[in-house]
Amino acid sequence: MRNEFQVYVIESSTLKRFLVVEMVLGTLAYNVALYLFHNALLAGVGSWAGTESVKRLPVVFRKIVGP
């Protein structure tokens, strides 16, 4: 058995992006979808679709967050 010590480095920009996209935008998308559809299942799907679209379209994300 080898004695190994592993270090994982998480950049602060990655953590900020996760918090903004997943937590803030996900919550906003969920609440908007819940208001529009009055259905928790559709609101969850809408939240997922909203956050995934923002992650897949970095140009839109840069316009929202800025440089």
Side-chain angles (χ1 to χ4, degrees):
M1 175 180 226
R2 299 182 331 190
N3 292 333
E4 292 184 1
F5 183 76
Q6 296 180 350
V7 175
Y8 296 97
V9 177
I10 301 173
E11 296 176 352
S12 64
S13 61
T14 304
L15 188 59
K16 288 178 195 174
R17 179 180 169 137
F18 171 78
L19 288 175
V20 168
V21 171
E22 295 294 333
M23 305 301 282
V24 176
L25 291 179
T27 301
L28 288 173
Y30 178 82
N31 287 328
V32 167
L34 186 61
Y35 178 77
L36 292 175
F37 300 123
H38 302 289
N39 185 320
L41 182 61
L42 290 177
V45 171
S47 173
W48 170 79
T51 56
E52 286 299 315
S53 65
V54 168
K55 287 190 282 187
R56 299 217 192 299
L57 298 171
V59 173
V60 174
F61 181 72
R62 287 188 193 117
K63 287 182 181 179
I64 293 171
V65 175

